[in-house]
């Protein structure tokens, strides 16, 4: 009597394994699996099951050249089909889901029957022991007891028959799922794993993640400056060159201004390649001369310091006219508070991810650097911060993400030595070296569009890539 019980246990164990296998396999068949993994400062978000079947979004806080990367990798298959294959695929997937539900019902039923069989197992063992102990003669009373016990076991036969039927059902279901899986794989090869409507929803989710990626990678703390990239050797020892930080990526014009005082000639090159070759340029003659090298081009206009004054001038290139000019209250000029290299560098204009800035010094601030946010339309001061760092001890300065970074020298061996955070009105001393290849920097500016530092180094126009440290929260974090 114990051998049939072991067989029943084996059937139940097999059914449990099959059900467990189905619960693990079916989700992957219908595309319910998803993973999120992180390693170091980068994050990988897999929207679908595998690189071959789904879209992937990679965010990297730091590329080898110091630039930030948002990359979306799409599947190789053509996935935007509206034909009958898409409907067929959807029907097959629904059928697999129905099979999964049937397996769940079957699992509940077999579990209930298992409890019943286990309750009967003790009774059967007791009966078997009494039969073995009998000496061949049974009294009328004992016989009646055995008859009663046997009548209690009669329902077990129907349970065993049900188990046989359930076993056959599991075999059929397993075969059906195997066939469906083959059909799904064949259709996937032709058109991808998802219907048009599902793809549309996933594309929207991907776009949202890409937008979040751009926002997360938009700003960070400066942790490194690359080796210099010399673009050209042109002009005198002092000067400035730049691109428009607000121009679209297709606009690669370069502006060039040689010298640090009384200059009026601005050369506009059509592309960076033209600038390197010294061709295809036009000339702008400013109505008022400039002082220093702290000029910047922002949204089609040049912002510069008018010579022998603390006046800010906004010159519009397309109309070739001054749109507005305004005095910067209390700002020193005419070499009163320059950088360590002199050159009428009292006023320095900058642009970062948040807008237009002016760096200068006033008598009221005792020669310490003041950084002010300017309204680019009116040139009015929106807000000012006293950094506490003496301007004459600074080689140059630049803004990244609302943080003012100051170098300790304009000569060889210079490094980014001081950082002032406008969002918290706090500062810290840093130690970010960079290679001053030509030993005399007279212009250093950050371009947020290109994530690069533009420098004029002893008659050489040089670029540096920057490395920014980003903290990237996982999906769902605020």
């Amino acid at each position: 009597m114990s051998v049939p019980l072991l067989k029943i246990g084996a059937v139940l164990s097999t059914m449990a394994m099959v059900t467990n296998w189905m619960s693990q396999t079916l989700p992957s068949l219908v595309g319910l699996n998803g993973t999120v993994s992180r390693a170091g400062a980068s994050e990988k978000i897999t929207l679908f099951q595998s690189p071959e079947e789904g879209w992937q979004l990679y965010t990297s806080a730091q590329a080898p050249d110091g630039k930030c990367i948002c990359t979306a990798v799409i599947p190789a298959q053509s996935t935007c089909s509206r034909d009958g294959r898409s409907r067929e695929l959807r029907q097959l997937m629904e059928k697999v889901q129905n099979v999964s539900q049937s397996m769940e019902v079957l699992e509940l039923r077999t579990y209930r029957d298992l409890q019943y069989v286990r309750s009967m197992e003790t009774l059967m063992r007791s009966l078997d022991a009494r039969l073995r102990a009998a000496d061949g003669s049974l009294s009328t009373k004992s016989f009646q007891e055995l008859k009663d016990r046997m009548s209690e076991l009669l329902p077990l036969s129907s349970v065993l028959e049900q188990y046989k039927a359930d076993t056959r059902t599991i075999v059929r279901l397993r075969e059906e799922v195997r066939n469906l899986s083959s059909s799904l794989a064949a259709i996937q090869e032709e058109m991808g794993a998802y219907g048009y409507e599902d793809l549309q929803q996933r594309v929207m989710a991907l776009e949202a993640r890409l937008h979040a990626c751009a926002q997360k990678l938009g700003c960070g703390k400066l942790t490194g400056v690359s080796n210099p990239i010399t673009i050209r050797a042109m002009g005198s020892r002092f000067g400035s060159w730049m691109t428009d930080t607000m121009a679209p990526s297709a606009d690669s014009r370069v502006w060039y201004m040689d010298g640090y005082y009384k200059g009026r000639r601005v050369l506009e090159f059509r592309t960076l390649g033209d600038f390197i070759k010294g061709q295809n340029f036009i000339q702008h003659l400013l109505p008022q001369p400039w002082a220093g090298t702290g000029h910047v081009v922002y949204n089609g206009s040049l912002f510069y310091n008018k010579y022998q004054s603390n006046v800010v001038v906004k010159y519009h290139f397309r109309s070739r006219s001054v749109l507005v000019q305004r005095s910067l209250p209390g700002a020193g000029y005419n070499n009163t508070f320059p950088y360590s290299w002199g050159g009428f560098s009292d006023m320095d204009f900058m642009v970062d991810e948040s807008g237009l800035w002016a760096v200068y010094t006033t008598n009221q601030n005792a020669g310490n650097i003041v950084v002010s946010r300017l309204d680019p339309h009116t040139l009015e001061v929106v807000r000012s911060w006293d950094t506490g760092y003496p301007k004459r001890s600074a080689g140059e300065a630049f803004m990244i993400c609302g943080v003012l970074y100051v170098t300790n020298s304009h000569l060889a061996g210079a490094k980014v030595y001081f950082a002032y955070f406008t969002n918290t009105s706090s500062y810290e001393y840093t130690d970010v070296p960079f290679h001053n290849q030509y030993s005399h920097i007279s212009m250093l500016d950050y371009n947020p569009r290109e994530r690069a530092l533009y420098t004029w180094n002893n008659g050489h126009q040089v670029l540096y890539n920057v490395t920014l440290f980003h903290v990237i929260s996982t999906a769902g974090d605020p």
Side-chain angles (χ1 to χ4, degrees), residues 314-350:
K314 179 181 180 180
Y315 175 84
H316 189 242
F317 284 117
R318 179 174 295 180
S319 64
R320 294 178 178 264
S321 62
V322 173
L323 298 184
V324 63
Q325 56 183 342
R326 182 181 296 274
S327 175
L328 200 57
Y333 62 94
N334 202 27
N335 266 340
T336 303
F337 298 111
Y339 289 124
S340 60
W341 64 274
F344 296 90
S345 57
D346 302 79
M347 299 170 62
D348 193 2
F349 303 103
M350 309 170 183

mmCIF file of all heavy atoms in Angstrom, residues 314-350:
data_model
loop_
_atom_site.group_PDB
_atom_site.id
_atom_site.type_symbol
_atom_site.label_atom_id
_atom_site.label_comp_id
_atom_site.label_asym_id
_atom_site.label_seq_id
_atom_site.Cartn_x
_atom_site.Cartn_y
_atom_site.Cartn_z
ATOM 1 N N LYS A 314 26.427 95.321 -25.441
ATOM 2 C CA LYS A 314 25.847 94.181 -26.146
ATOM 3 C C LYS A 314 25.731 94.535 -27.618
ATOM 4 O O LYS A 314 24.910 95.365 -28.012
ATOM 5 C CB LYS A 314 24.467 93.839 -25.575
ATOM 6 C CG LYS A 314 23.779 92.665 -26.291
ATOM 7 C CD LYS A 314 22.391 92.388 -25.698
ATOM 8 C CE LYS A 314 21.698 91.234 -26.402
ATOM 9 N NZ LYS A 314 20.356 90.964 -25.843
ATOM 10 N N TYR A 315 26.575 93.896 -28.426
ATOM 11 C CA TYR A 315 26.620 94.164 -29.863
ATOM 12 C C TYR A 315 26.002 92.991 -30.612
ATOM 13 O O TYR A 315 26.425 91.838 -30.446
ATOM 14 C CB TYR A 315 28.065 94.382 -30.309
ATOM 15 C CG TYR A 315 28.236 94.562 -31.808
ATOM 16 C CD1 TYR A 315 28.044 95.805 -32.394
ATOM 17 C CD2 TYR A 315 28.597 93.485 -32.617
ATOM 18 C CE1 TYR A 315 28.205 95.970 -33.773
ATOM 19 C CE2 TYR A 315 28.758 93.644 -33.987
ATOM 20 C CZ TYR A 315 28.555 94.886 -34.558
ATOM 21 O OH TYR A 315 28.704 95.059 -35.913
ATOM 22 N N HIS A 316 25.001 93.279 -31.460
ATOM 23 C CA HIS A 316 24.293 92.249 -32.215
ATOM 24 C C HIS A 316 24.945 92.075 -33.578
ATOM 25 O O HIS A 316 25.030 93.030 -34.355
ATOM 26 C CB HIS A 316 22.817 92.630 -32.373
ATOM 27 C CG HIS A 316 21.976 91.529 -32.937
ATOM 28 N ND1 HIS A 316 21.310 91.643 -34.141
ATOM 29 C CD2 HIS A 316 21.694 90.280 -32.467
ATOM 30 C CE1 HIS A 316 20.649 90.531 -34.385
ATOM 31 N NE2 HIS A 316 20.874 89.691 -33.385
ATOM 32 N N PHE A 317 25.400 90.849 -33.886
ATOM 33 C CA PHE A 317 26.158 90.624 -35.123
ATOM 34 C C PHE A 317 25.284 90.778 -36.368
ATOM 35 O O PHE A 317 25.719 91.381 -37.363
ATOM 36 C CB PHE A 317 26.789 89.227 -35.101
ATOM 37 C CG PHE A 317 27.991 89.122 -34.208
ATOM 38 C CD1 PHE A 317 27.982 88.276 -33.109
ATOM 39 C CD2 PHE A 317 29.133 89.856 -34.456
ATOM 40 C CE1 PHE A 317 29.086 88.172 -32.285
ATOM 41 C CE2 PHE A 317 30.251 89.767 -33.640
ATOM 42 C CZ PHE A 317 30.231 88.926 -32.553
ATOM 43 N N ARG A 318 24.082 90.255 -36.356
ATOM 44 C CA ARG A 318 23.267 90.278 -37.574
ATOM 45 C C ARG A 318 22.895 91.708 -37.969
ATOM 46 O O ARG A 318 22.980 92.071 -39.155
ATOM 47 C CB ARG A 318 22.007 89.434 -37.380
ATOM 48 C CG ARG A 318 21.086 89.412 -38.597
ATOM 49 C CD ARG A 318 19.936 88.448 -38.414
ATOM 50 N NE ARG A 318 20.405 87.071 -38.333
ATOM 51 C CZ ARG A 318 19.604 86.026 -38.174
ATOM 52 N NH1 ARG A 318 18.290 86.214 -38.054
ATOM 53 N NH2 ARG A 318 20.085 84.806 -38.117
ATOM 54 N N SER A 319 22.481 92.512 -36.995
ATOM 55 C CA SER A 319 22.105 93.899 -37.321
ATOM 56 C C SER A 319 23.302 94.849 -37.304
ATOM 57 O O SER A 319 23.171 96.007 -37.675
ATOM 58 C CB SER A 319 21.062 94.393 -36.319
ATOM 59 O OG SER A 319 21.606 94.436 -35.002
ATOM 60 N N ARG A 320 24.455 94.348 -36.841
ATOM 61 C CA ARG A 320 25.678 95.149 -36.738
ATOM 62 C C ARG A 320 25.430 96.441 -35.957
ATOM 63 O O ARG A 320 25.801 97.542 -36.379
ATOM 64 C CB ARG A 320 26.232 95.468 -38.131
ATOM 65 C CG ARG A 320 26.716 94.230 -38.887
ATOM 66 C CD ARG A 320 27.212 94.569 -40.269
ATOM 67 N NE ARG A 320 27.712 93.387 -40.953
ATOM 68 C CZ ARG A 320 28.990 93.017 -41.007
ATOM 69 N NH1 ARG A 320 29.893 93.761 -40.380
ATOM 70 N NH2 ARG A 320 29.364 91.920 -41.642
ATOM 71 N N SER A 321 24.789 96.279 -34.812
ATOM 72 C CA SER A 321 24.450 97.448 -34.004
ATOM 73 C C SER A 321 24.519 97.100 -32.519
ATOM 74 O O SER A 321 24.452 95.935 -32.133
ATOM 75 C CB SER A 321 23.040 97.945 -34.336
ATOM 76 O OG SER A 321 22.078 96.950 -34.027
ATOM 77 N N VAL A 322 24.669 98.161 -31.686
ATOM 78 C CA VAL A 322 24.649 97.993 -30.239
ATOM 79 C C VAL A 322 23.193 97.984 -29.781
ATOM 80 O O VAL A 322 22.465 98.967 -29.974
ATOM 81 C CB VAL A 322 25.430 99.123 -29.545
ATOM 82 C CG1 VAL A 322 25.264 99.035 -28.036
ATOM 83 C CG2 VAL A 322 26.912 99.062 -29.928
ATOM 84 N N LEU A 323 22.777 96.898 -29.162
ATOM 85 C CA LEU A 323 21.402 96.796 -28.698
ATOM 86 C C LEU A 323 21.205 97.478 -27.347
ATOM 87 O O LEU A 323 20.168 98.098 -27.100
ATOM 88 C CB LEU A 323 20.991 95.324 -28.592
ATOM 89 C CG LEU A 323 20.993 94.515 -29.897
ATOM 90 C CD1 LEU A 323 20.473 93.102 -29.640
ATOM 91 C CD2 LEU A 323 20.151 95.199 -30.961
ATOM 92 N N VAL A 324 22.188 97.355 -26.475
ATOM 93 C CA VAL A 324 22.088 97.975 -25.147
ATOM 94 C C VAL A 324 23.490 98.068 -24.558
ATOM 95 O O VAL A 324 24.372 97.265 -24.877
ATOM 96 C CB VAL A 324 21.155 97.146 -24.217
ATOM 97 C CG1 VAL A 324 21.709 95.765 -23.981
ATOM 98 C CG2 VAL A 324 20.932 97.860 -22.895
ATOM 99 N N GLN A 325 23.710 99.062 -23.709
ATOM 100 C CA GLN A 325 24.941 99.175 -22.943
ATOM 101 C C GLN A 325 24.600 99.750 -21.574
ATOM 102 O O GLN A 325 23.694 100.569 -21.438
ATOM 103 C CB GLN A 325 25.981 100.028 -23.666
ATOM 104 C CG GLN A 325 25.540 101.419 -24.051
ATOM 105 C CD GLN A 325 26.624 102.169 -24.821
ATOM 106 O OE1 GLN A 325 27.789 101.802 -24.785
ATOM 107 N NE2 GLN A 325 26.232 103.208 -25.519
ATOM 108 N N ARG A 326 25.322 99.285 -20.556
ATOM 109 C CA ARG A 326 24.984 99.688 -19.195
ATOM 110 C C ARG A 326 26.239 99.610 -18.324
ATOM 111 O O ARG A 326 27.071 98.711 -18.468
ATOM 112 C CB ARG A 326 23.907 98.763 -18.627
ATOM 113 C CG ARG A 326 23.445 99.138 -17.219
ATOM 114 C CD ARG A 326 22.394 98.138 -16.728
ATOM 115 N NE ARG A 326 21.197 98.194 -17.547
ATOM 116 C CZ ARG A 326 20.185 99.059 -17.350
ATOM 117 N NH1 ARG A 326 20.244 99.943 -16.357
ATOM 118 N NH2 ARG A 326 19.121 99.020 -18.118
ATOM 119 N N SER A 327 26.348 100.561 -17.429
ATOM 120 C CA SER A 327 27.458 100.575 -16.476
ATOM 121 C C SER A 327 27.234 99.511 -15.409
ATOM 122 O O SER A 327 26.114 99.311 -14.946
ATOM 123 C CB SER A 327 27.578 101.952 -15.830
ATOM 124 O OG SER A 327 28.574 101.949 -14.833
ATOM 125 N N LEU A 328 28.309 98.816 -15.040
ATOM 126 C CA LEU A 328 28.254 97.825 -13.974
ATOM 127 C C LEU A 328 28.610 98.532 -12.671
ATOM 128 O O LEU A 328 29.759 98.938 -12.465
ATOM 129 C CB LEU A 328 29.236 96.694 -14.267
ATOM 130 C CG LEU A 328 29.023 95.357 -13.565
ATOM 131 C CD1 LEU A 328 27.645 94.802 -13.842
ATOM 132 C CD2 LEU A 328 30.088 94.359 -13.996
ATOM 133 N N PRO A 329 27.655 98.729 -11.778
ATOM 134 C CA PRO A 329 27.848 99.595 -10.616
ATOM 135 C C PRO A 329 29.062 99.222 -9.762
ATOM 136 O O PRO A 329 29.197 98.086 -9.318
ATOM 137 C CB PRO A 329 26.554 99.412 -9.810
ATOM 138 C CG PRO A 329 25.545 98.971 -10.821
ATOM 139 C CD PRO A 329 26.301 98.146 -11.806
ATOM 140 N N GLY A 330 29.954 100.178 -9.587
ATOM 141 C CA GLY A 330 31.110 100.017 -8.712
ATOM 142 C C GLY A 330 32.231 99.170 -9.260
ATOM 143 O O GLY A 330 33.254 98.977 -8.572
ATOM 144 N N ALA A 331 32.092 98.637 -10.467
ATOM 145 C CA ALA A 331 33.112 97.738 -11.011
ATOM 146 C C ALA A 331 34.382 98.503 -11.349
ATOM 147 O O ALA A 331 34.342 99.572 -11.966
ATOM 148 C CB ALA A 331 32.574 97.035 -12.253
ATOM 149 N N GLY A 332 35.519 97.941 -10.951
ATOM 150 C CA GLY A 332 36.800 98.539 -11.321
ATOM 151 C C GLY A 332 37.107 98.316 -12.795
ATOM 152 O O GLY A 332 36.625 97.374 -13.411
ATOM 153 N N TYR A 333 37.924 99.208 -13.371
ATOM 154 C CA TYR A 333 38.284 99.103 -14.785
ATOM 155 C C TYR A 333 39.652 99.750 -14.989
ATOM 156 O O TYR A 333 40.241 100.334 -14.075
ATOM 157 C CB TYR A 333 37.226 99.771 -15.680
ATOM 158 C CG TYR A 333 37.045 101.251 -15.444
ATOM 159 C CD1 TYR A 333 37.737 102.192 -16.198
ATOM 160 C CD2 TYR A 333 36.171 101.721 -14.462
ATOM 161 C CE1 TYR A 333 37.570 103.556 -15.981
ATOM 162 C CE2 TYR A 333 36.004 103.072 -14.241
ATOM 163 C CZ TYR A 333 36.705 103.985 -15.000
ATOM 164 O OH TYR A 333 36.538 105.334 -14.783
ATOM 165 N N ASN A 334 40.176 99.629 -16.220
ATOM 166 C CA ASN A 334 41.442 100.255 -16.610
ATOM 167 C C ASN A 334 42.601 99.753 -15.729
ATOM 168 O O ASN A 334 43.409 100.525 -15.231
ATOM 169 C CB ASN A 334 41.332 101.770 -16.554
ATOM 170 C CG ASN A 334 42.381 102.453 -17.434
ATOM 171 O OD1 ASN A 334 42.831 101.881 -18.420
ATOM 172 N ND2 ASN A 334 42.766 103.666 -17.072
ATOM 173 N N ASN A 335 42.664 98.434 -15.538
ATOM 174 C CA ASN A 335 43.709 97.767 -14.761
ATOM 175 C C ASN A 335 43.671 98.107 -13.269
ATOM 176 O O ASN A 335 44.698 98.060 -12.585
ATOM 177 C CB ASN A 335 45.103 98.078 -15.319
ATOM 178 C CG ASN A 335 45.575 97.010 -16.317
ATOM 179 O OD1 ASN A 335 45.073 95.892 -16.332
ATOM 180 N ND2 ASN A 335 46.543 97.370 -17.147
ATOM 181 N N THR A 336 42.501 98.424 -12.753
ATOM 182 C CA THR A 336 42.366 98.658 -11.313
ATOM 183 C C THR A 336 42.360 97.332 -10.551
ATOM 184 O O THR A 336 43.064 97.179 -9.549
ATOM 185 C CB THR A 336 41.072 99.428 -11.018
ATOM 186 O OG1 THR A 336 41.074 100.654 -11.756
ATOM 187 C CG2 THR A 336 40.946 99.734 -9.535
ATOM 188 N N PHE A 337 41.563 96.381 -11.033
ATOM 189 C CA PHE A 337 41.490 95.053 -10.414
ATOM 190 C C PHE A 337 41.542 93.972 -11.503
ATOM 191 O O PHE A 337 40.566 93.252 -11.739
ATOM 192 C CB PHE A 337 40.203 94.895 -9.602
ATOM 193 C CG PHE A 337 40.075 95.847 -8.450
ATOM 194 C CD1 PHE A 337 39.123 96.855 -8.471
ATOM 195 C CD2 PHE A 337 40.910 95.741 -7.345
ATOM 196 C CE1 PHE A 337 38.992 97.732 -7.405
ATOM 197 C CE2 PHE A 337 40.790 96.617 -6.276
ATOM 198 C CZ PHE A 337 39.848 97.611 -6.304
ATOM 199 N N PRO A 338 42.697 93.827 -12.179
ATOM 200 C CA PRO A 338 42.778 92.799 -13.227
ATOM 201 C C PRO A 338 43.144 91.429 -12.636
ATOM 202 O O PRO A 338 43.406 91.290 -11.432
ATOM 203 C CB PRO A 338 43.910 93.318 -14.110
ATOM 204 C CG PRO A 338 44.837 93.985 -13.125
ATOM 205 C CD PRO A 338 43.941 94.591 -12.069
ATOM 206 N N TYR A 339 43.165 90.416 -13.502
ATOM 207 C CA TYR A 339 43.771 89.143 -13.139
ATOM 208 C C TYR A 339 45.277 89.335 -12.985
ATOM 209 O O TYR A 339 45.823 90.401 -13.289
ATOM 210 C CB TYR A 339 43.475 88.086 -14.202
ATOM 211 C CG TYR A 339 42.032 87.615 -14.246
ATOM 212 C CD1 TYR A 339 41.293 87.686 -15.425
ATOM 213 C CD2 TYR A 339 41.431 87.058 -13.122
ATOM 214 C CE1 TYR A 339 39.986 87.241 -15.478
ATOM 215 C CE2 TYR A 339 40.114 86.612 -13.157
ATOM 216 C CZ TYR A 339 39.397 86.710 -14.344
ATOM 217 O OH TYR A 339 38.097 86.271 -14.378
ATOM 218 N N SER A 340 45.961 88.274 -12.561
ATOM 219 C CA SER A 340 47.385 88.387 -12.261
ATOM 220 C C SER A 340 48.224 88.780 -13.469
ATOM 221 O O SER A 340 49.305 89.358 -13.320
ATOM 222 C CB SER A 340 47.905 87.061 -11.696
ATOM 223 O OG SER A 340 47.710 86.006 -12.626
ATOM 224 N N TRP A 341 47.735 88.524 -14.685
ATOM 225 C CA TRP A 341 48.521 88.851 -15.881
ATOM 226 C C TRP A 341 48.283 90.267 -16.378
ATOM 227 O O TRP A 341 48.950 90.721 -17.310
ATOM 228 C CB TRP A 341 48.235 87.842 -16.997
ATOM 229 C CG TRP A 341 46.806 87.835 -17.506
ATOM 230 C CD1 TRP A 341 45.777 87.146 -17.005
ATOM 231 C CD2 TRP A 341 46.292 88.568 -18.616
ATOM 232 N NE1 TRP A 341 44.622 87.390 -17.717
ATOM 233 C CE2 TRP A 341 44.923 88.253 -18.726
ATOM 234 C CE3 TRP A 341 46.845 89.456 -19.538
ATOM 235 C CZ2 TRP A 341 44.100 88.788 -19.697
ATOM 236 C CZ3 TRP A 341 46.031 89.989 -20.528
ATOM 237 C CH2 TRP A 341 44.667 89.656 -20.595
ATOM 238 N N GLY A 342 47.344 91.017 -15.770
ATOM 239 C CA GLY A 342 47.086 92.400 -16.179
ATOM 240 C C GLY A 342 46.179 92.464 -17.382
ATOM 241 O O GLY A 342 45.108 91.857 -17.426
ATOM 242 N N GLY A 343 46.576 93.227 -18.372
ATOM 243 C CA GLY A 343 45.876 93.264 -19.656
ATOM 244 C C GLY A 343 44.467 93.816 -19.613
ATOM 245 O O GLY A 343 43.618 93.360 -20.386
ATOM 246 N N PHE A 344 44.195 94.784 -18.722
ATOM 247 C CA PHE A 344 42.859 95.393 -18.636
ATOM 248 C C PHE A 344 41.765 94.342 -18.431
ATOM 249 O O PHE A 344 40.638 94.501 -18.907
ATOM 250 C CB PHE A 344 42.565 96.236 -19.883
ATOM 251 C CG PHE A 344 43.477 97.416 -20.051
ATOM 252 C CD1 PHE A 344 44.665 97.299 -20.759
ATOM 253 C CD2 PHE A 344 43.166 98.649 -19.496
ATOM 254 C CE1 PHE A 344 45.515 98.385 -20.908
ATOM 255 C CE2 PHE A 344 44.014 99.740 -19.635
ATOM 256 C CZ PHE A 344 45.194 99.607 -20.341
ATOM 257 N N SER A 345 42.121 93.302 -17.686
ATOM 258 C CA SER A 345 41.183 92.182 -17.481
ATOM 259 C C SER A 345 40.324 92.390 -16.240
ATOM 260 O O SER A 345 40.021 91.440 -15.517
ATOM 261 C CB SER A 345 41.961 90.862 -17.369
ATOM 262 O OG SER A 345 42.924 90.931 -16.320
ATOM 263 N N ASP A 346 39.905 93.637 -16.002
ATOM 264 C CA ASP A 346 39.091 93.955 -14.828
ATOM 265 C C ASP A 346 37.722 93.286 -14.883
ATOM 266 O O ASP A 346 37.185 92.878 -13.849
ATOM 267 C CB ASP A 346 38.903 95.477 -14.725
ATOM 268 C CG ASP A 346 40.217 96.221 -14.635
ATOM 269 O OD1 ASP A 346 40.869 96.415 -15.687
ATOM 270 O OD2 ASP A 346 40.607 96.597 -13.531
ATOM 271 N N MET A 347 37.131 93.199 -16.070
ATOM 272 C CA MET A 347 35.781 92.658 -16.216
ATOM 273 C C MET A 347 35.804 91.456 -17.157
ATOM 274 O O MET A 347 36.346 91.529 -18.264
ATOM 275 C CB MET A 347 34.817 93.739 -16.734
ATOM 276 C CG MET A 347 34.699 94.929 -15.778
ATOM 277 S SD MET A 347 33.809 96.353 -16.470
ATOM 278 C CE MET A 347 32.213 95.643 -16.753
ATOM 279 N N ASP A 348 35.230 90.365 -16.680
ATOM 280 C CA ASP A 348 35.244 89.105 -17.427
ATOM 281 C C ASP A 348 33.813 88.597 -17.538
ATOM 282 O O ASP A 348 33.132 88.405 -16.528
ATOM 283 C CB ASP A 348 36.122 88.085 -16.694
ATOM 284 C CG ASP A 348 36.446 86.875 -17.545
ATOM 285 O OD1 ASP A 348 36.025 86.829 -18.716
ATOM 286 O OD2 ASP A 348 37.126 85.966 -17.018
ATOM 287 N N PHE A 349 33.337 88.371 -18.766
ATOM 288 C CA PHE A 349 31.965 87.907 -19.003
ATOM 289 C C PHE A 349 31.972 86.420 -19.356
ATOM 290 O O PHE A 349 32.849 85.951 -20.090
ATOM 291 C CB PHE A 349 31.299 88.735 -20.096
ATOM 292 C CG PHE A 349 31.284 90.205 -19.784
ATOM 293 C CD1 PHE A 349 32.180 91.070 -20.393
ATOM 294 C CD2 PHE A 349 30.397 90.715 -18.842
ATOM 295 C CE1 PHE A 349 32.181 92.414 -20.085
ATOM 296 C CE2 PHE A 349 30.397 92.065 -18.525
ATOM 297 C CZ PHE A 349 31.296 92.925 -19.149
ATOM 298 N N MET A 350 30.991 85.705 -18.844
ATOM 299 C CA MET A 350 30.952 84.256 -18.986
ATOM 300 C C MET A 350 29.518 83.784 -19.211
ATOM 301 O O MET A 350 28.575 84.458 -18.815
ATOM 302 C CB MET A 350 31.501 83.572 -17.716
ATOM 303 C CG MET A 350 32.837 84.085 -17.269
ATOM 304 S SD MET A 350 33.256 83.428 -15.632
ATOM 305 C CE MET A 350 34.824 84.293 -15.363
#
